[in-house]
Amino acid sequence: MTDDVHDGSSAEPGGADEMADARAIEREIHEAHERAARPEIPVDRQLEAILMIADEPQSLVSLGAAVGAPVPAVRQAIERLVADFDGVDGTIRRGFELREVGGGWRFYVRQDLDDVVEQFVEAERPSRLSQAALETLAVVAYKQPITRSQIAAIRAVKVDGVVRTLVARGLIEESFTDAETGAINYVTSDLLLQQLGIKSLDEVPLISPLLDDGTGGIEQNEGIPEGRV
């Protein structure tokens, strides 16, 4: 009689593992059905989408990893895209090109259209400066020549981006590089004088009357004529 009695825990050896395997198989079948139902996107289109938003040249290896394709296939796809954008097979020659630079690929404006793009950028460039840019410009005007770190110390904020903006706008420019520290010193440009309607820095408005006690704020600098602060 005792031989007919079985322990319930051993009635289904490996039962949990078998159920897990079954569920895994079901998932694989489901995913396979989804992949079959989803249209395959050509590698060319995938690469085009990635390169469209890339800020830096992308190597074939990185592109291959991004789209899950071998490097030879990526290279062939890149060659097809280049030919398409160049109008080799009768397609429209695009205003941009896919160019290899520094071991990577990236979209660039075609050189013969640089003037068109430059005009657009100039037209779209905002005419008004931000408050941060105006404050930084004032510091340079009254303390020039001055480095970015010195400007940051006066304004108590980082000024790298603002300085780049002012340089790009042509309102300040690099004057010289300090031989010991390597820091770039900035000064105001002739364009700023034109924008202000003055002939020289001698006509920079006095700042002392604008201060509460006439003593605080920006100190006098040798680059500014006597009495400008």
Side-chain angles (χ1 to χ4, degrees):
M1 295 293 293
T2 55
D3 292 339
D4 295 332
V5 178
H6 300 284
D7 187 353
S9 61
S10 60
E12 295 180 359
D17 293 339
E18 291 178 358
M19 292 181 62
D21 293 341
R23 285 195 294 268
I25 293 173
E26 290 178 359
R27 282 197 302 270
E28 292 179 1
I29 294 175
H30 178 70
E31 293 173 357
H33 287 165
E34 285 189 340
R35 288 194 296 269
R38 185 171 58 244
E40 187 69 23
I41 301 177
V43 174
D44 301 40
R45 289 182 58 196
Q46 296 182 54
L47 294 176
E48 185 177 358
I50 292 173
L51 291 168
M52 187 65 68
I53 54 93
D55 292 330
E56 299 179 353
Q58 302 296 310
S59 67
L60 295 178
V61 174
S62 64
L63 290 172
V67 301
V71 170
V74 172
R75 182 182 294 107
Q76 294 175 2
I78 290 292
E79 292 174 353
R80 289 192 296 269
L81 289 174
V82 171
D84 181 23
F85 301 147
D86 289 348
V88 173
D89 298 324
T91 56
I92 298 176
R93 181 178 171 84
R94 311 293 178 84
F96 57 87
E97 62 179 329
L98 188 54
R99 189 190 310 166
E100 185 178 15
V101 178
W105 292 86
R106 185 186 176 193
F107 284 124
Y108 291 89
V109 174
R110 292 194 185 278
Q111 187 172 359
D112 57 344
L113 294 173
D114 283 347
D115 292 341
V116 176
V117 175
E118 183 177 356
Q119 292 176 10
F120 172 78
V121 172
E122 290 293 335
E124 292 295 312
R125 179 177 294 173
S127 58
R128 297 177 63 87
L129 291 174
S130 66
Q131 184 66 30
L134 288 172
E135 293 175 2
T136 301
L137 184 57
V139 171
V140 177
Y142 283 96
K143 295 288 290 182
Q144 59 186 308
I146 188 171
T147 65
R148 281 184 295 181
S149 61
Q150 291 171 333
I151 299 172
I154 292 174
R155 294 200 55 229
V157 294
K158 291 183 178 180
V159 296
D160 292 2
V162 178
V163 169
R164 285 195 296 268
T165 297
L166 293 174
V167 171
R169 298 285 291 271
L171 298 176
I172 66 174
E173 58 192 14
E174 298 180 5
S175 177
F176 63 92
T177 301
D178 189 280
E180 295 183 0
T181 65
I184 298 174
N185 282 258
Y186 295 90
V187 296
T188 53
S189 66
D190 292 338
L191 176 61
L192 177 63
L193 299 180
Q194 297 174 18
Q195 296 289 338
L196 295 177
I198 59 179
K199 296 180 180 179
S200 70
L201 293 176
D202 292 337
E203 300 180 49
V204 172
L206 296 174
I207 192 173
S208 297
L210 302 178
L211 303 175
D212 293 338
D213 57 5
T215 59
I218 302 175
E219 299 176 353
Q220 184 173 335
N221 183 278
E222 296 179 356
I224 297 296
E226 186 73 23
R228 290 298 94 196
V229 295

